[in-house]
Amino acid sequence: MSTTIAPADVPESVPAPERARGVRRLLRPGAAVLSGVLLFLSFPPRPLWWLALPAFALLGWTLRGRRLRAGFGLGHLAGLGFLMPLLVWTGEEVGPVPWLALAAVEALFVAAVGLGIAAVSRLPAWPVFAAAVWILGEAARARVPFGGFPWGKIAFGQADGIFLPLAAVGGTPVLGFAVALCGFGLYELVRLVRARRVAGSGTPPARGQLLAAALAALVPVTGAVAALPLVSDAAEDGTATVAAVQGNVPRLGLDFNSQRRAVLDNHANRTRELAAAVKAGREPQPDFVLWPENSSDIDPYANPDAFEVIDEAVREVNAPTVIGSVIAPETGKLRNTLIEWDPRKGPVAEYDKRHVQPFGEYIPMRSFVRIFNSDVDRVRRDFGPGNKIGVFDLAGTKVGLATCYEAAFDWAVRDTVTHGAQLITVPSNNATFGRSEMTYQQLAMSRVRAVEHSRTVVVPVTSGVSAIIRPDGRIMAETKLFTPDVLVEKVPLRSSLTPATRMGTLPEALLAAVAVAGLGWSAARSVRARRARAV
């Protein structure tokens, strides 16, 4: 007897063609996320700057020829893959909601870039337009909302890379453009070579296309080599001996602010120890001393005991000292202030931080934000921005001032140099962010700024990593995290201006114009194609 199995008794299975289609649908979204993760991995503290090239190559493969809506979605996935791990430190003490919200909002800019790259990807020499679109997205992200958030500019991941000299040519926009162009060019070159091999009876890519792709990959590298003469650490204006004090904080986290006197005492004590080392001949006499941001959160003008502690330490070290303080006027907003403290005259000059940090130093839309996170009320009184460019004359050396968050903004560093700074300092306070990667990301920014403006950059930080950086981007000396320390180094002073400093925002504007031209060209081609189909 034979048994007949009814179709209903056969186990259901997905046909192989459908499974293959399902895998293919996931391939590009997965590649978009992976491209973002590779971008993240190219950033410090990992010296893997070169991962940005396969990241952009993979992004090019993901977006080339896609429809605009798909480009937006894939771009958002790439942005999340990049910015979620990059910005995880923003939730170090306040939980995941602010971190995830920030990453999601900032990833929308990358989504818009993805749409733009998809639009220009059918144009001749599309890698040029795609890289310009990326820089246009970075320019927008650095300006809106609330004054912008440039963290994660591709240039800031290239402090150890071969493209770094291009920072002196056109600043972070040209440096970032070169990296993106090289990555897109590599993908296009591989694509065309492969197409030529498998063309068969079809039409192979033209030699001109291959040449354009090769140039897109090679010109950025060649340009970086050609820019090497712009990178110098020669002492044009002599040298200065600078001391950077890292006093450390009693404990990690937001609540370190409740121990303000201990933080002040730590920095005063380290300065006194430096003075003793100088008298004993173990350290050279510094020409000036730099304390970090928030090294005295006690207003020395309103608190005589704080004034005396600072004044005594400065008199002992016998050098003009920059003190990071919080000034609390009776009315109005707080001021994040750097004070030039003379060993004989006391306070003689001030610089108020011009770009205060939203949701950190002031709370926009406080009542609305409180719905999602009550930690906003830790900021009981908002800080207000200053309006004067910070350049102190410290024992004859003109020192440009960019306080912490300001180092991420091109203009905030550049205008100190155009106003005469021979050296730049970036006093910072990263204690809130614990042992996260934030401090290394910020240190890389200062290394890029050193090359961009050909200046020594000194980074005194309350809890580390403090560093002294030569004008060629190399770190002369650095501290460990959460370790009291003092760095003393003789550094070169320079006054010449790099092309990047002289041109200011012009390179960024030109690259934005290239992006807009590409988008306009793509839109015009689409309109003509629709009209042709309608005829």
Side-chain angles (χ1 to χ4, degrees):
M1 180 185 294
S2 62
T3 303
T4 302
I5 300 177
D9 297 325
V10 178
E12 293 185 4
S13 61
V14 179
E18 287 191 24
R19 287 200 303 270
R21 281 196 296 271
V23 170
R24 283 197 295 270
R25 287 194 205 101
L26 294 175
L27 197 56
R28 288 188 187 272
V33 173
L34 179 58
S35 70
V37 171
L38 289 174
L39 279 180
F40 158 67
L41 292 174
S42 73
F43 273 67
R46 294 160 295 278
L48 303 177
W49 58 270
W50 52 269
L51 282 178
L53 300 181
F56 278 109
L58 186 58
L59 186 63
W61 176 82
T62 303
L63 295 172
R64 185 182 178 277
R66 298 298 97 191
R67 294 182 177 181
L68 301 188
R69 184 171 63 180
F72 185 89
L74 292 168
H76 197 234
L77 289 174
L80 291 173
F82 173 36
L83 294 169
M84 283 185 65
L86 186 80
L87 303 178
V88 68
W89 50 267
T90 59
E92 183 78 14
E93 293 294 330
V94 294
V97 173
W99 158 51
L100 294 174
L102 176 63
V105 170
E106 294 298 314
L108 290 174
F109 288 91
V110 186
V113 167
L115 183 153
I117 292 175
V120 302
S121 65
R122 293 183 175 87
L123 298 177
W126 70 267
V128 174
F129 294 109
V133 168
W134 184 275
I135 298 306
L136 178 62
E138 286 192 342
R141 196 158 67 85
R143 289 167 171 81
V144 293
F146 311 117
F149 187 73
W151 217 277
K153 273 190 169 187
I154 295 304
F156 295 148
Q158 296 296 307
D160 290 305
I162 61 172
F163 299 101
L164 181 61
L166 290 170
V169 175
T172 60
V174 167
L175 175 52
F177 173 78
V179 175
L181 177 60
C182 189
F184 289 138
L186 285 171
Y187 160 66
E188 180 68 353
L189 185 60
V190 170
R191 185 186 74 83
L192 291 175
V193 169
R194 186 172 180 274
R196 194 175 183 87
R197 287 179 177 175
V198 301
S201 60
T203 304
R207 291 182 182 275
Q209 290 177 288
L210 284 165
L211 178 60
L215 287 174
L218 293 175
V219 165
V221 178
T222 305
V225 173
L228 279 171
L230 296 174
V231 181
S232 172
D233 63 354
E236 296 175 332
D237 302 325
T239 61
T241 300
V242 57
V245 177
Q246 178 174 302
N248 204 16
V249 299
R251 65 172 179 265
L252 285 64
L254 291 172
D255 290 331
F256 84 91
N257 286 305
S258 65
Q259 305 165 80
R260 296 176 299 169
R261 181 53 192 263
V263 175
L264 170 57
D265 288 342
N266 284 353
H267 287 85
N269 290 339
R270 298 291 83 72
T271 304
R272 293 192 190 97
E273 290 172 5
L274 171 61
V278 169
K279 290 177 182 177
R282 296 191 303 273
E283 292 285 1
Q285 170 65 45
D287 294 307
F288 52 90
V289 178
L290 302 173
W291 285 17
E293 176 191 31
N294 300 126
S295 46
S296 175
D297 269 357
I298 304 173
D299 184 346
Y301 301 130
N303 296 273
D305 57 335
F307 188 103
E308 182 57 33
V309 167
I310 296 170
D311 198 56
E312 181 182 341
V314 174
R315 279 189 279 109
E316 283 194 34
V317 80
N318 194 31
T321 303
V322 177
I323 309 295
S325 187
V326 173
I327 305 303
E330 292 185 5
T331 60
K333 296 181 177 180
L334 299 172
R335 292 155 45 206
N336 188 335
T337 301
L338 299 177
I339 305 171
E340 178 185 349
W341 207 290
D342 185 89
R344 287 168 294 279
K345 301 176 183 177
V348 294
E350 294 180 358
Y351 166 70
D352 294 332
K353 188 176 182 179
R354 291 177 291 161
H355 200 308
V356 292
Q357 182 183 352
F359 304 104
E361 292 173 305
Y362 77 100
I363 306 297
M365 307 180 298
R366 183 183 290 266
S367 58
F368 174 74
V369 175
R370 189 184 292 115
I371 297 172
F372 303 97
N373 196 304
S374 61
D375 281 316
V376 298
D377 290 324
R378 288 177 180 266
V379 183
R380 297 184 180 89
R381 187 176 174 185
D382 287 344
F383 283 80
N387 55 19
K388 293 182 180 179
I389 297 169
V391 179
F392 286 167
D393 188 328
L394 302 178
T397 298
K398 292 185 177 180
V399 177
L401 312 168
T403 306
C404 196
Y405 185 58
E406 292 181 322
F409 294 86
D410 295 347
W411 59 268
V413 181
R414 181 175 57 244
D415 61 12
T416 69
V417 179
T418 58
H419 281 72
Q422 300 164 295
L423 176 149
I424 299 166
T425 183
V426 184
S428 303
N429 174 22
N430 299 337
T432 301
F433 305 110
R435 298 184 181 276
S436 71
E437 295 184 358
M438 181 270 184
T439 191
Y440 301 102
Q441 294 170 10
Q442 188 180 52
L443 180 59
M445 292 179 192
S446 294
R447 293 180 64 193
V448 173
R449 298 303 184 198
V451 174
E452 180 180 8
H453 301 294
S454 195
R455 295 293 186 272
T456 297
V457 178
V458 182
V459 186
V461 186
T462 51
S463 54
V465 172
S466 301
I468 298 176
I469 305 164
R470 297 186 73 87
D472 60 5
R474 291 180 298 158
I475 296 177
M476 296 178 68
E478 64 181 310
T479 66
K480 295 180 180 179
L481 278 172
F482 296 98
T483 304
D485 206 346
V486 177
L487 303 176
V488 184
E489 294 286 344
K490 180 181 286 188
V491 299
L493 303 178
R494 295 177 60 84
S495 55
S496 62
L497 301 182
T498 64
T501 309
R502 292 179 185 277
M503 289 190 290
T505 59
L506 181 60
E508 185 179 58
L510 290 175
L511 291 172
V514 171
V516 171
L519 293 170
W521 186 7
S522 174
R525 283 167 56 115
S526 297
V527 169
R528 286 197 299 269
R530 283 197 299 270
R531 287 176 178 172
R533 287 194 298 268
V535 173

